[in-house]
Amino acid sequence: MALSSTLNLIKPLLILVLLHLPSHNSSYLEYSDALSRSILFFEGQRSGYLPNDQRIVWRANSGLGDGWEVSADLTGGYYDAGDNVKFGFPMAFTATMLAWSVIEFGDSMPAGELRNALVAVRWATDYLLKTVSQLPNRIFVQVGDPIKDHSCWERPEDMDTARTVYTVEAPNTASDVAGETAAALAAASIAFRSSDPAYSETLLRTAVKAFEFADTYRGAYSDNSDIRDGVCPFYCDFDGYQDELLWGAAWLRTASQDDSYLNYIQNNGKTLGADDNINEFGWDNKHAGLNVLVSKEVLEGNMYSLQSYKASADSFMCTLTPDSDSSHIEYTPGGLIYRPGGSNLQHATTISFLLLVYANYLQRSSQSVSCGNINVGPTTLRQMAKRQVDYILGENPKGMSYMVGYSNYYPQRIHHRGSSLPSIKDHPQMIACKEGSVYFNSSDPNPNVLVGAIVGGPGEDDMYDDTREDFRKSEPTTYINAPFVGVLAYFVANPNPS
């Protein structure tokens, strides 16, 4: 056979091979696919009556009697993690971050995913509206006894543990939960303003009431003796309630443009500790997020009376910058932001979110951050966020995606009841409280893939053992995923920030 004929035969094969070779932005760097999956995860966490368009089909209705013991409808909402409890504090934060993701990065989402993201927000806010429906005197902060729930390994569809409703009655305090709920509803009111103005108005009106309860009866919800045993040590208010008051007011200011909330964050910053713990952001500590959010008024609205918040936001960005004199955040050898305490990826996703949001604010106002020896601009902040995102999606020492169902190598044995037990569709017989232990102790992969779930992640040495027992590493949570929705939306539109 002539050489030219041989080459003509080989050429199509070479093209096929080259097409299938991984490029820098393929495999685990397909941000659009990751975004879709990160939103889909929330359908696996749903409580209540599931709709006909439910896409995670191994789940079914659950918690249908929630609230009956207090003659209220408290169905719906999300299970926070791998258990079957509805903790109000982290659920409200989840809703805030999902809504903020839509507000800041919704324009970068494909139309279908923007719609799915809004559905995910509403699944939370519909429930949160129920929890504050008896204001001004009562707020429901949790459904489910976590001690009894955690002693069982059973599907949410089977759960027969106590669905205790934890209620705070005025003048008892719940500034943290009520303040975060106000933030969530206010943020969501912005997210829904164009697509559902009537719902948006309901959210904002209710947010005002939730904030009034938070501010009138000041104190932490876990300070109440009848609440403490149900929420601690899981979602105790460890960092104080003051940040939620400022956070709630900041979101109400953003949503309403009411000057009374502007005055609140101006006049109460010092007394409520706005300058404290400014390098933290998560379900319990809102300071870094508060400072970034309020800085928008300074950077884009020239509201210089809020300059102290911007100074704190700048300081936070400098602590994250490795080349800065004031850098003091810890990174793993592989480059992941690390903070002790377990469920570490919650820090990586929330901080990445703030990096991108602040980068946008800086770019729109043509500003940078002075970090002593260097100036840090939007591009640097975005590249720092990208490093965290790429690590989570697989560019790490183990080569593992820490998002379940993404790429070919991801955690198979996550600490999650519904995922690890046979689906009720495949095994309709009840699996009782202790009968699930055999599945928990099994070394087999989980039978149901909780697509999009981001697990707690590796330790400070970048190591990850794929085992259900190590819940600090293998348990997903809604508040790890929520900010990552916005982060991924940004990189869908800007895969290589420059």
Side-chain angles (χ1 to χ4, degrees):
M1 184 181 292
L3 180 60
S4 59
S5 300
T6 304
L7 288 174
N8 285 335
L9 285 172
I10 292 174
K11 191 181 296 181
L13 294 174
L14 284 172
I15 292 171
L16 281 172
V17 169
L18 289 170
L19 284 173
H20 286 86
L21 283 174
S23 68
H24 182 66
N25 285 318
S26 66
S27 67
Y28 47 75
L29 297 183
E30 292 169 357
Y31 299 120
S32 182
D33 183 41
L35 172 65
S36 300
R37 292 169 190 266
S38 70
I39 299 170
L40 179 58
F41 156 75
F42 289 94
E43 296 192 19
Q45 297 301 111
R46 286 172 169 174
S47 181
Y49 291 93
L50 302 189
N52 291 331
D53 60 357
Q54 169 80 12
R55 294 177 294 165
I56 292 191
V57 295
W58 48 264
R59 282 296 321 285
N61 298 339
S62 64
L64 302 185
D66 283 358
W68 71 268
E69 69 173 46
V70 293
S71 301
D73 174 13
L74 294 174
T75 57
Y78 292 118
Y79 303 118
D80 72 300
D83 54 22
N84 301 323
V85 182
K86 297 191 299 199
F87 293 97
F89 197 12
M91 196 194 308
F93 178 68
T94 294
T96 306
M97 295 310 297
L98 278 171
W100 200 3
S101 291
V102 169
I103 293 165
E104 295 291 347
F105 304 111
D107 289 347
S108 298
M109 296 180 187
E113 294 310 334
L114 175 58
R115 185 168 55 251
N116 290 334
L118 286 169
V119 168
V121 175
R122 187 160 187 160
W123 197 271
T125 52
D126 280 354
Y127 172 80
L128 293 174
L129 288 171
K130 296 177 182 181
T131 67
V132 292
S133 62
Q134 296 186 19
L135 289 175
N137 299 314
R138 180 180 297 117
I139 178 173
F140 303 111
V141 297
Q142 182 172 311
V143 179
D145 182 325
I147 305 300
K148 293 177 180 176
D149 178 271
H150 290 178
S151 71
C152 293
W153 195 259
E154 60 184 352
R155 303 174 295 201
E157 295 84 2
D158 286 336
M159 63 180 163
D160 51 3
T161 52
R163 301 301 288 169
T164 306
V165 177
Y166 294 85
T167 308
V168 175
E169 305 259 4
N172 293 313
T173 61
S175 298
D176 33 28
V177 180
E180 185 62 60
T181 300
L185 298 178
S189 76
I190 303 171
F192 282 101
R193 189 167 287 160
S194 60
S195 62
D196 194 337
Y199 187 60
S200 173
E201 289 178 14
T202 297
L203 292 167
L204 184 55
R205 186 172 59 250
T206 310
V208 170
K209 294 178 182 177
F211 182 77
E212 287 173 355
F213 184 93
D215 195 40
T216 302
Y217 309 108
R218 291 190 179 186
Y221 82 132
S222 48
D223 287 345
N224 298 300
S225 58
D226 58 335
I227 301 293
R228 186 181 303 114
D229 290 344
V231 303
C232 300
F234 313 104
Y235 293 105
C236 251
D237 187 339
F238 297 102
D239 286 323
Y241 64 87
Q242 294 88 344
D243 52 327
E244 278 80 29
L245 289 176
L246 292 169
W247 179 240
W251 273 111
L252 279 162
R253 163 64 180 173
T254 304
S256 68
Q257 291 300 299
D258 188 323
D259 284 346
S260 67
Y261 298 110
L262 173 63
N263 294 333
Y264 188 97
I265 54 180
Q266 285 175 339
N267 299 336
N268 291 282
K270 294 294 184 186
T271 56
L272 293 177
D275 296 331
D276 300 340
N277 303 313
I278 62 170
N279 299 327
E280 297 283 339
F281 188 49
W283 62 264
D284 187 30
N285 188 319
K286 311 303 168 358
H287 282 289
L290 165 71
N291 293 325
V292 167
L293 178 65
V294 174
S295 292
K296 185 178 184 183
E297 295 238 29
V298 183
L299 289 164
E300 298 182 15
N302 299 318
M303 196 70 66
Y304 296 115
S305 59
L306 300 172
Q307 181 65 34
S308 63
Y309 289 91
K310 179 185 176 296
S312 292
D314 284 352
S315 175
F316 178 58
M317 297 300 150
C318 293
T319 67
L320 299 172
T321 306
D323 294 334
S324 165
D325 287 341
S326 52
S327 172
H328 65 247
I329 198 159
E330 185 179 347
Y331 289 86
T332 67
L336 178 68
I337 288 171
Y338 180 78
R339 289 192 167 159
S343 194
N344 181 61
L345 289 185
Q346 65 180 306
H347 305 300
T349 62
T350 54
I351 289 173
S352 296
F353 183 91
L354 294 183
L355 285 166
L356 293 176
V357 170
Y358 207 57
N360 280 356
Y361 296 169
L362 290 172
Q363 181 166 359
R364 289 199 290 262
S365 56
S366 301
Q367 295 196 39
S368 60
V369 177
S370 175
C371 295
N373 57 320
I374 58 170
N375 276 331
V376 176
T379 298
T380 299
L381 300 182
R382 289 166 178 153
Q383 288 171 344
M384 288 162 58
K386 187 176 188 297
R387 180 71 196 92
Q388 299 306 302
V389 174
D390 292 352
Y391 185 108
I392 292 170
L393 296 182
E395 275 196 355
N396 56 65
K398 285 189 70 71
M400 171 182 276
S401 164
Y402 291 108
M403 177 184 284
V404 174
Y406 184 78
S407 85
N408 296 320
Y409 182 38
Y410 56 83
Q412 303 284 327
R413 298 163 189 83
I414 66 173
H415 184 98
H416 190 278
R417 287 158 176 77
S419 172
S420 66
L421 290 156
S423 167
I424 196 167
K425 309 289 177 67
D426 299 326
H427 189 292
Q429 300 81 14
M430 180 174 178
I431 301 173
C433 172
K434 299 302 181 183
E435 292 175 0
S437 298
V438 63
Y439 299 99
F440 175 80
N441 293 321
S442 169
S443 60
D444 292 339
N446 288 7
N448 309 308
V449 180
L450 184 58
V451 174
I454 303 171
V455 295
E460 59 188 326
D461 56 358
D462 295 303
M463 291 296 101
Y464 181 87
D465 296 320
D466 191 4
T467 172
R468 284 178 211 98
E469 288 83 356
D470 192 353
F471 65 90
R472 289 178 178 83
K473 292 183 177 180
S474 64
E475 187 170 20
T477 73
T478 57
Y479 48 87
I480 296 177
N481 267 67
F484 210 54
V485 169
V487 170
L488 288 168
Y490 173 81
F491 286 112
V492 167
N494 307 276
N496 293 293
S498 58

